[in-house]
Amino acid sequence: MADLLFLIPLLPLAAFCINILLGRSLIGGNAHWVAVPAVFGSWILSLLVLLDINDTEHALSQRLFTWIPSGDFNVTASLYADQLTAIMLMVVSTVGLLVHVYSVGYMHGDPGFYRFFSYLPLFVFSMLMLVLADNLLVLFVFWEAVGLCSYLLIGYYFRRRSAGNAARKAFIVNRVGDLGFGLGIMLAFWTFGTISFYGDAGIFEQAYNHEALGIAGGTMTLMGILLFIGASGKSAQFPLHVWLPDAMEGPTPVSALIHAATMVTAGIYMVARSYTIFISSETAMLFVTVIGAFTALMAATIALTQNDIKRIVAYSTLSQLGYMAFAIGTGAWVAAIFHLMTHAFFKGLLFLGCGSVIHGMHEEQDIQKMGGLRKYMPLTFWTFLIGSLANAGIFPLAGFWSKDEILLGAWISDYSFGPFASIVGFAAAFLTALYMFRLVFLVFFGKERFDTSRLHPHESGYWMAVPLVVLAVASVVVGFVGFPPEDGWFHHFVHHAFEHVEEHHVTMTQTVTFGVLSTIVALGGIFVAYLTYHKGTISAEAMAARFPAVYQFLYNKWYFDELYGKIFVQPLQRFSDFLWKIVDIGVIDAAVNGVATGISATSQRLRQVQTGLVANYALAIALGMVLIVGVYLAGFSNLFR
Amino acid sequence: MSWDVVFFYLIAAVSLITALGVVAARNPVHSGIFLILCFVNIAGIFVMLGAEFLAVIQIIVYTGAILVLVLFVIMLVDPEDLPSFHTAEPLQRYLSFLLGAVLLLEIGAAIVTRTGIVGTGTATPENVAAVGGNTQALGRIIYSKYLLAFEVTSLVLTVGVIGAVVLALPERLGERLNTRRGTISLSHSRGTDEALPEGPRGETPIRVDRNRPAPPAAAAQRTIILTKDPDAHTRVGQTSDRTRQG
Amino acid sequence: MGELTVEHFLFLSAALFIIGMMGVLTRRNMLIILMCIELMVAAVSISFVAFAWESNTLGGQIFVLFALAVAAAEAAVGLGIILALSRRGKSVDVDDLRSLRD
């Protein structure tokens, strides 16, 4: 099985190559027949890998080739799959496959069909390689590759100016995070002398034994913080979260795959992979927890006020990523991965449902112009409802199990700041339920707020419906792989990847208490949403009018974009203008043109020597002769000796 | 003060004055006469330097033949065509005076600081007299040591003769070319051709004009008509200012 | 100043040469320019013969002989050119030779 590891990323890569090279000429509208089977093949292989690892409890590895043989610094391209990787492979390939199938229907008739179906498998390839990488450099390469694919896909509708801007914003903010990541990699190499993950001389073992090896605790802290800065660029944690809502400019399947299930989880994956570095430093863990918890709460507050259907779900993603982050920060590693998996399914479902709604409403995205859609799109309604319930964490859907574990895990964490994070998590859970069901009630219930004579919403086709159903089923049942809490198959499986951390042991009392508490909180949120947006007992407008400043603050996303614009973007713009006008045009161009003008002017003057008169030329000869005689006299004669 | 020095200064003074006369005379004929006088004086200098053969050759060949030739040509070229003395640009004049002065200083400096070649050769006056004189000594050397140079020089003279003859030749008799635009006649320096109508470019036949400014560039594109009869296409003097027979 | 030395003749030769050179550079009539060139050749001949006299060799005189011959040929050809020019109706003014101008 290990020998076939390379096929898992290779199949989508081949699909990309075929589609991008032959797409315009040969394949055109049939590009999905290349891409979907390729990803399906990856899915099958990932499943086999999972089963294999489950049986043998050994990791699989395959060495591909030596990439950089430079003396002591030897980088090989190898694939390594342990339990954590296997779970990630399943998540990526499953959601990837379903999104591919969905896109066949969603992108039908789009002129860039083949382009979409070349970028999408390219992304799947990059993500698969990222999770299969066994050293920091290869991981970083594919980290960048997924960023590139994100850029390509966000800017897919490249003729729209806003799409281009959003793609650039995503890439640039990512790069800021990558600066931290890069510095962290260099620090790791400098400290440990290697960039390889595994083995006794690998980074993680050395990090775990850092005290015995004489590595200072401060170094580990710094390393952890730098790595997490990289992760927060990719996983959209505060303060690098600003790109994710704008990334909704891309087609909805892209949002589902990249910005819900896979790319944004790459950061979480990377931190989970490097857990030994983080557990060596309590400060780093605190850093992660604070940022994660803050992001979770902040995103939830913003989501309350947004009106674009995709943006609400995007902020929900931000919030859930914050959950995963503070789960990691408080030491609930397995819970974070569990939530990563369940979130991939129900968030993917929610995004695909959004796509279905947008498609049915003929590209309308403002929820204030929707309403009562459950009559027109029943399938979408029911799947969306399941997804929302899972997101809110209602028993017995998938989200309940994972979120509950995070809250409990944070509470019982070894770190002192754990319980605070847990409380923040509860607050965010309330808000999560509130805004999700605001969305549900405003879109699917109530009276239609659009012109029914003009607009006839319709249900989606089969290509789009089947993935919705599959994901809905998954959102219901996948939670049970982690049942009973902290003791299920999932925990035992994944814990092998976190060997140096003790398993959490929870009592039944704690479990039940937290379960009940989280359900109450979630139901409370749903109830408030019901009252406000369905019954109308509480008036949202009145609330907004009572606290106008708060409302504006939340509506404008805590003014982050404006802040960054003032601090970074505008000065940079002015500096670029300066460099352009004064340095490039004024100095460099002027110098070059000045040389040309100078030469031209000089040659014009010199030209006047050519009078055409033979007498002048004779004079020139005589002059030359006098000069030569003079030189001879001065240099070679007795005159000056 | 020996007589040698006196004679030298005398001859040198005369030669310098006549040289200045060559340069400064308005009339080229005067220039030629001055040059003849200068050369005679130079021949005197040669005699003082013991090169009698050269002195005589100088007078016979240079003055007797070359300068006479020059005088002939001066007469052939219309003496009234005399342009003014100095060149058009004053810069040329001043610069050439300056150069002359500088060169004089340089050569003077070179002469003064030279390390002389003290008589090391074998052609001392006694030896030369023993052979029979300057001419005999020269003869001995030319036909033995410098034979090749002698032959080459004769070649140069031959080529010079051929060149001079070709340049001065009248046009050959031959056929006529088709196009009849403006023409030149080589045999009649003052003649113009038959009244051709103005050419397609508005050209008129060439005239010889006393105070003519520089000929325009279009004049260089004229073709040559080669005819059997030099008089057939020329109308001598009719359209020119002078009524002279060509 | 008592003895007659080579330097006397050399100075004379230099002076004649320079006079000839200024004539070449200054005058407009081509024939006079030709005569000044001849003057320059003659001045150099004096110099050669002076050196030959000083060093008791005959090489200088031989050179002058040949220079004389070459100057004769050159004068002949030059005069032929001037004659041909004047026959074609162009003047013998050196300032009219302007075709090297751009």
Side-chain angles (χ1 to χ4, degrees), chain C residues 19 48 80:
Chain C
I19 292 173
F48 269 112

Side-chain angles (χ1 to χ4, degrees), chain C residues 44-57:
Chain C
V44 174
S45 319
I46 298 180
S47 189
F48 269 112
V49 176
F51 282 128
W53 174 69
E54 187 203 28
S55 66
N56 288 331
T57 59

Side-chain angles (χ1 to χ4, degrees), chain A residues 491-548:
Chain A
H491 302 90
H492 291 301
F493 184 70
V494 175
H495 192 78
H496 284 109
F498 296 105
E499 282 168 348
H500 295 300
V501 176
E502 267 190 31
E503 284 201 31
H504 278 160
H505 290 293
V506 291
T507 65
M508 192 49 82
T509 333
Q510 283 173 317
T511 317
V512 172
T513 321
F514 268 78
V516 168
L517 269 176
S518 62
T519 312
I520 291 177
V521 162
L523 285 173
I526 298 178
F527 184 61
V528 171
Y530 172 76
L531 284 183
T532 314
Y533 297 103
H534 192 62
K535 284 287 286 278
T537 329
I538 309 175
S539 162
E541 290 79 12
M543 291 291 282
R546 280 248 297 265
F547 306 102

Side-chain angles (χ1 to χ4, degrees), chain A residues 18-32:
Chain A
I18 294 176
N19 275 341
I20 198 77
L21 291 172
L22 301 175
R24 201 196 292 228
S25 46
L26 276 188
I27 304 186
N30 291 321
H32 55 289

